[in-house]
Amino acid sequence: MKYSIVKNEKALDAVLVFEGEKVENKVFEIMNEKGLFLGKEGEILIYRNLENTEKVALIGLGKEKNLTLDKVRRIFFNLAKEMENKKETEINVEIPKLNGMCTRRTYMAALEGMIHAEYKFDKYKTEKVNILEKTVNFTINPLKLEKVEKGLKEITNTMEGVFLTRDLVNMPSQDIYPESLAKITKEELEKVGVKVSIYTEEEIEKIGMKAYLSVARGSENKPYLIVMEYLNDTSNNEKIALVGKGVTYDTGGYSIKPNEGMKTMHCDMGGAGTVIGTMYALAKNNVKTNVFGVVAACENSISGNAYKPGDVISSLAGKSIEVDNTDAEGRLTLADAIYYSHSVLKVDKIIDLATLTGACLVALAEYSTGAVTNNQELFDAINKASKLAGEPIWQLPTSDEYRALNNSRVADIKNSGGRMGGTITAGLFLESFTNNVPWVHLDIAGTAYLSKAYGYLPIAATGVHIKTLVEFLDNGVKCK
Ligand code: BES
Ligand code: MN
Ligand code: ZN
């Protein structure tokens, strides 16, 4: 999707219509009269006559009081899809000030929606999907032009990160395994100026990440610890770690998954994907912040050497862990990655993202991420960013009753708190490795990989929370 700020007389003209309102436009008047266009939210009607004297896209905005930024994304997603159907490649768009929404964000949302419509994953198809190259020409209030243009550039970069993540998460495990993930991460991120260090199994052993290595042991595909570094704010000493679950395939190990539950488990590096895509977007946008990305990549597999239920393993923190279930592997890898972030990288805040529990899908379906935190202020800031990004998060409760579910008879803690409250106990397992460093855990098991497309999101990988994190980490000038 290309954009410009120059109108093209030959292109379609967007006509934005609130439901039940009249606008002065010939095509609108005819279509509205016939009941063919009512201005309902997301309704799109493209009309171009043979002489090209009439060439419009009627765009339904619904009721003004109901309009939100996320609806703008959906509406413009629909517009781009309809342009594709009608083989229209260019449109002129002017957006009036809407429902108290910030002008810059409204244009960004419109462009974002149109970019979403261009995602495809046809890597493994011999016949490729052909998507028309489209252009949107925005007319922008000159007083707001500079800010809006900056925003358009920013969302374009951020969406590049989102698409990179979707591709990584959609690719199956024979192509994305720890070593290849490390290699691609290095290639993609060093292009944009993020430093990437990769540690081998031997080096991980030296660091002492024993819980992580226990998970990795069962696979022929060796683990690689990937550490990304983007230090771009000299005015500030504060450093943040983004920790992503990087299980490139989760068979469940000896607590093996049935086929139905296993076959999409190449998505179990969805957290890592989001971290990589976020680092990419931050660097491309030259965001003033100091961030480390940490991914303890491995595969949870089975062999004569794999860890087993009942094993007691150690960890970087020195805490002993009873392996109650080898399918609760993500929290073992993350425990070490989180501990590494504050003890070695000395970060001040930690955000982890993980496709951690099936229980999160039971609680929230595929429409909200589950959150657990040890710091309300940090959570509130991330939650605010997630609302602007249109990526909902729902905070779960914590208390000592929940913490006690992780108690082990034989070790310091066990890696499963049982079926009930599974997302909370998984989060609280991680909490015990944070050493009280402000931390937010985002369980993206439901939101990172969809069984069905909805809104502007495609089936399978979404790249969820890259937008949230860029919003949260970018302290630049903004409105609301
Ligand atoms: N990767 C899974 C969680 C998952 C399930 C992600 C469905 C995406 C979709 C995780 O490693 C797992 O297997 N969790 C177990 C934990 C249990 C054994 C305590 C689960 O949710 O069943
Ligand atoms: Mn598992
Ligand atoms: Zn897993």
Side-chain angles (χ1 to χ4, degrees):
M1 177 65 61
K2 287 198 269 181
Y3 67 87
S4 88
I5 51 161
V6 189
K7 201 168 160 174
N8 179 348
E9 294 306 326
K10 298 210 173 88
L12 282 179
D13 292 307
V15 178
L16 279 63
V17 187
F18 284 113
E19 187 176 344
E21 287 188 7
K22 305 279 176 221
V23 296
E24 263 178 60
N25 176 276
K26 216 158 108 192
V27 179
F28 169 79
E29 279 156 18
I30 295 165
M31 296 301 180
N32 189 247
E33 177 86 357
K34 290 186 182 161
L36 294 174
F37 183 85
L38 304 169
K40 286 197 185 305
E41 191 184 296
E43 206 183 344
I44 309 288
L45 194 155
I46 293 181
Y47 179 82
R48 186 192 278 276
N49 64 10
L50 288 171
E51 306 78 39
N52 279 328
T53 50
E54 302 294 341
K55 44 167 192 62
V56 293
L58 305 178
I59 301 174
L61 300 178
K63 300 273 186 225
E64 181 161 19
K65 64 171 180 8
N66 295 337
L67 198 61
T68 60
L69 275 180
D70 211 47
K71 288 185 176 173
V72 173
R73 293 185 186 100
R74 288 180 192 218
I75 291 164
F76 280 82
F77 171 84
N78 288 356
L79 169 65
K81 286 282 182 194
E82 188 56 17
M83 285 173 69
E84 186 75 39
N85 288 339
K86 293 271 156 63
K87 306 251 178 301
E88 291 284 352
T89 55
E90 193 166 348
I91 186 162
N92 303 317
V93 176
E94 180 169 4
I95 312 179
K97 180 115 184 126
L98 297 171
N99 192 22
M101 292 179 331
C102 151
T103 302
R104 173 176 146 276
R105 287 191 188 283
T106 312
Y107 277 96
M108 285 172 76
L111 179 60
E112 185 197 321
M114 295 185 85
I115 296 174
H116 277 291
E118 295 194 334
Y119 184 72
K120 58 170 181 167
F121 184 70
D122 59 1
K123 196 173 158 57
Y124 300 93
K125 293 272 193 192
T126 39
E127 240 173 82
K128 302 297 176 194
V129 179
N130 182 38
I131 291 179
L132 292 174
E133 172 76 64
K134 294 185 222 45
T135 306
V136 52
N137 307 312
F138 289 119
T139 300
I140 304 161
N141 175 348
L143 293 173
K144 309 255 166 89
L145 186 62
E146 201 186 316
K147 269 193 188 172
V148 175
E149 267 200 287
K150 217 173 148 248
L152 294 174
K153 183 81 211 143
E154 188 180 300
I155 193 64
T156 302
N157 288 334
T158 301
M159 288 304 292
E160 258 180 45
V162 172
F163 282 17
L164 167 65
T165 298
R166 287 183 186 173
D167 285 350
L168 289 174
V169 178
N170 278 328
M171 277 157 76
S173 74
Q174 89 274 8
D175 285 337
I176 298 291
Y177 43 92
E179 188 180 6
S180 66
L181 183 66
K183 190 166 162 269
I184 298 172
T185 301
K186 199 173 172 74
E187 276 167 16
E188 293 297 327
L189 293 187
E190 291 198 336
K191 270 194 247 170
V192 292
V194 175
K195 186 177 157 201
V196 179
S197 309
I198 297 168
Y199 300 92
T200 62
E201 188 171 30
E202 233 176 30
E203 291 165 322
I204 301 165
E205 246 159 52
K206 282 205 190 100
I207 300 168
M209 301 173 89
K210 293 207 169 92
Y212 165 31
L213 287 174
S214 298
V215 176
R217 225 169 57 205
S219 178
E220 294 282 325
N221 291 318
K222 293 292 142 207
Y224 286 85
L225 172 67
I226 310 168
V227 180
M228 298 152 254
E229 188 180 314
Y230 177 69
L231 305 178
N232 194 40
D233 186 3
T234 44
S235 72
N236 193 341
N237 280 329
E238 190 182 85
K239 293 193 284 294
I240 298 182
L242 303 179
V243 178
K245 174 173 172 181
V247 174
T248 55
Y249 199 77
D250 182 11
T251 66
Y254 275 103
S255 314
I256 197 163
K257 288 182 184 294
N259 187 62
E260 270 315 295
M262 195 190 297
K263 66 188 181 191
T264 55
M265 278 301 136
H266 59 273
C267 81
D268 216 15
M269 38 61 74
T274 291
V275 170
I276 294 161
T278 303
M279 300 301 286
Y280 181 93
L282 291 172
K284 261 218 126 169
N285 283 323
N286 192 24
V287 172
K288 296 291 164 225
T289 184
N290 300 315
V291 182
F292 284 105
V294 180
V295 171
C298 66
E299 197 179 82
N300 187 20
S301 201
I302 291 185
S303 77
N305 194 34
Y307 79 142
K308 299 181 261 330
D311 283 357
V312 176
I313 62 176
S314 187
S315 60
L316 179 60
K319 249 192 236 290
S320 64
I321 305 167
E322 176 190 352
V323 178
D324 182 73
N325 190 314
T326 61
D327 199 10
E329 84 297 339
R331 66 199 75 183
L332 299 173
T333 67
L334 289 164
D336 277 354
I338 287 171
Y339 200 86
Y340 177 85
S341 300
H342 61 74
S343 68
V344 179
L345 302 175
K346 310 279 183 209
V347 300
D348 307 286
K349 287 175 184 161
I350 301 171
I351 303 167
D352 82 73
L353 300 107
T355 48
L356 204 61
T357 64
C360 196
L361 273 143
V362 176
L364 303 172
E366 296 181 335
Y367 312 119
S368 298
T369 289
V372 174
T373 186
N374 64 4
N375 187 292
Q376 197 58 41
E377 204 185 316
L378 181 60
F379 172 80
D380 290 344
I382 292 169
N383 194 33
K384 188 173 161 214
S386 84
K387 287 199 164 95
L388 288 166
E391 299 177 319
I393 292 175
W394 193 256
Q395 185 180 6
L396 298 166
T398 62
S399 73
D400 287 343
E401 285 74 27
Y402 290 111
R403 286 185 186 93
L405 295 175
N406 288 329
N407 287 348
S408 164
R409 183 178 58 81
V410 293
D412 297 339
I413 194 166
K414 64 180 160 86
N415 79 331
S416 160
R419 258 169 48 79
M420 290 194 290
T423 307
I424 301 170
T425 52
L428 290 173
F429 179 90
L430 300 181
E431 182 198 56
S432 72
F433 293 86
T434 61
N435 282 22
N436 296 322
V437 172
W439 154 86
V440 170
H441 160 63
L442 299 175
D443 191 332
I444 56 173
T447 51
Y449 196 89
L450 306 178
S451 60
K452 197 168 167 287
Y454 75 91
Y456 48 82
L457 295 176
I459 188 171
T462 60
V464 72
H465 296 316
I466 294 173
K467 291 186 289 160
T468 300
L469 292 169
V470 171
E471 178 70 46
F472 169 70
L473 293 165
D474 188 355
N475 303 306
V477 212
K478 24 184 91 140
C479 46
K480 277 192 266 187

